[in-house]
Amino acid sequence: MAAVVLFTRLRPGLRAGLAVVIGAVTLTNGAMHVMHVATVRATDSDLTGVLAAASGLLLIGLGAAIPVLHRGESGVTSRRRWANRVTAAVAFTVVAQFFVIPVGVGLVQTHHSRRAVGNPPSTAFRDVTFGSADGLELAGWYHPSENRAAVVIANSAAGDRNGSRRHAALLAAHGYGVLLYDARGTGQSEGSPNGWGWDWRHDIEGALAFLQRQPDVDPDRLGGLGLSTGADVLIEVAATNRALRAVVADGATGRSFADRLPGALNAAFAWPMFTAAQVFSGAVPGKPLRHLVTRVGPTPLLLIAAGSIPGEIELNRRYAEDAGDRVELWTLPRATHITAISEEVAEYERRVIDHLDATLLRGRSGPWAGRAIS
């Protein structure tokens, strides 16, 4: 209501800006409901979500039209009129880049729609449930171990187990017990979603406790494989929980303002994005990854960084430099984020399995040659 009253009292340029900002945020929220209807099924809340998407489009169109169609400039020259319009266009671009888009990202990351969970990688995986460290019930699949070692898979921002079937199949083929599950608020697990993984450490703690209880698993032979957000969270957990004896972090980037790349423009984008995520979720990020990674040792850490996301390789180089001696960094400048398993099939298998085998199957005094950065 306040925005409606304010809108009628503003100058045309400010009216246009307000319409674009509110419209973009409304469209972002509504678009998630549209995607849920298109990919899963319609629920009662999707009706208002679809209407929000339509309203957002209407507001953005109104904001774009006001500077062009406004007729209250009859007292100024044509040159001044067009200068005003160009100024408005530049202002809209800046507002979109450093407010609308980052706030939209913060909204999306904290309001993922649940996706249907498909079939497991094979019939050898069974349905399981277990508790997170803070009391939520999480759902997943478990493949029994054939070598007394087991690996928990932490998924990307979407959170559910759909994106890690191939990784699970790879590990199972080498005899590892494998637990892949839906992070809180995704798939069939309880809780609220957060694509930054700010509360996911409790899920990992619960997953490790589950693996320690399995009769086919040696509790001293547990590893983790994280994808994107899951990679960030495994670094966090490995910094304090020595039950993790080996970690593969595929696609770690940053999960807080403190993890951003240097530069004023990066800061201007990151601050509203992470601030919005905190407001929308009520959660807060943990310690910066650069601080946490220094505490991962003596746990061996394999960092895998692709080139499709700006800054991913640079950030992982920083993490590798800070991590200590038991870290290996594998960079793939032409690969896509967390898809090395399908783009570099043989090399991915070799590096990941060798990394896990070195500690989980041969003991912590396995064939480590110290830091290797390639």
Side-chain angles (χ1 to χ4, degrees), residues 151-154 167 171 223-228 230-232 234-235 244-252 299-304 328 330 348 351-356:
V151 178
V152 56
I153 298 180
H167 299 81
L171 296 170
L225 189 157
L227 305 174
S228 193
D232 299 342
L234 277 180
I235 291 173
L244 272 175
R245 299 301 177 91
V247 172
V248 177
D250 184 348
T299 302
L301 173 64
L302 171 61
L303 298 170
I304 302 173
E328 177 185 0
W330 179 28
Y348 190 92
R351 288 188 181 245
V352 170
I353 298 303
D354 283 356
H355 178 81
L356 296 172

Side-chain angles (χ1 to χ4, degrees), residues 35-243:
M35 289 186 290
H36 185 258
V37 171
T39 60
V40 186
R41 61 183 176 84
T43 61
D44 293 341
S45 64
D46 288 327
L47 174 60
T48 55
V50 172
L51 292 176
S55 300
L57 285 173
L58 181 62
L59 284 170
I60 292 173
L62 176 62
I66 287 174
V68 177
L69 301 179
H70 179 59
R71 292 291 183 258
E73 297 178 329
S74 57
V76 300
T77 65
S78 176
R79 179 177 296 180
R80 177 61 181 275
R81 185 179 302 117
W82 280 105
N84 290 342
R85 292 171 181 174
V86 170
T87 300
V90 172
F92 291 162
T93 302
V94 172
V95 170
Q97 179 65 33
F98 296 107
F99 180 79
V100 175
I101 294 176
V103 169
V105 172
L107 176 63
V108 170
Q109 287 286 68
T110 54
H111 290 78
H112 285 292
S113 297
R114 291 180 185 265
R115 301 186 299 181
V117 175
N119 297 319
S122 73
T123 56
F125 287 79
R126 69 173 190 265
D127 292 325
V128 296
T129 59
F130 59 93
S132 69
D134 57 349
L136 296 176
E137 183 176 273
L138 308 178
W141 295 315
Y142 178 65
H143 185 287
S145 178
E146 299 172 5
N147 59 17
R148 301 290 293 162
V151 178
V152 56
I153 298 180
N155 294 295
S156 60
D160 59 53
R161 62 195 112 151
N162 288 310
S164 55
R165 287 187 184 84
R166 187 163 185 170
H167 299 81
L170 170 65
L171 296 170
H174 285 268
Y176 284 96
V178 185
L179 175 62
L180 64 163
Y181 66 94
D182 304 322
R184 60 185 55 216
T186 72
Q188 298 172 353
S189 292
E190 294 179 342
S192 300
N194 188 314
W196 300 112
W198 291 341
D199 295 321
W200 288 12
R201 66 187 182 281
H202 302 302
D203 301 353
I204 297 292
E205 298 282 359
L208 292 174
F210 170 88
L211 291 175
Q212 289 172 326
R213 295 193 298 269
Q214 301 311 303
D216 50 285
V217 174
D218 181 343
D220 292 327
R221 296 181 181 272
L222 302 183
L225 189 157
L227 305 174
S228 193
T229 298
D232 299 342
V233 180
L234 277 180
I235 291 173
E236 177 186 19
V237 173
T240 58
N241 191 328
R242 298 306 173 205

Side-chain angles (χ1 to χ4, degrees), residues 285-371:
K287 295 181 179 180
L289 290 182
R290 287 200 67 179
H291 294 171
L292 292 169
V293 78
T294 63
R295 298 161 54 189
V296 170
T299 302
L301 173 64
L302 171 61
L303 298 170
I304 302 173
S308 63
I309 293 181
E312 180 176 330
I313 290 178
E314 181 180 348
L315 285 169
N316 277 271
R317 288 193 185 279
R318 289 168 55 183
Y319 300 149
E321 290 296 327
D322 293 335
D325 292 333
R326 305 196 80 185
V327 60
E328 177 185 0
L329 171 62
W330 179 28
T331 61
L332 300 96
R334 288 183 290 275
T336 306
H337 182 60
I338 66 169
T339 62
I341 191 171
S342 57
E343 297 179 11
E344 299 284 346
V345 179
E347 186 65 6
Y348 190 92
E349 179 176 9
R350 184 187 72 80
R351 288 188 181 245
V352 170
I353 298 303
D354 283 356
H355 178 81
L356 296 172
D357 285 354
T359 298
L360 302 185
L361 300 188
R362 301 172 199 157
R364 302 190 72 174
S365 59
W368 268 87
R371 175 181 295 171

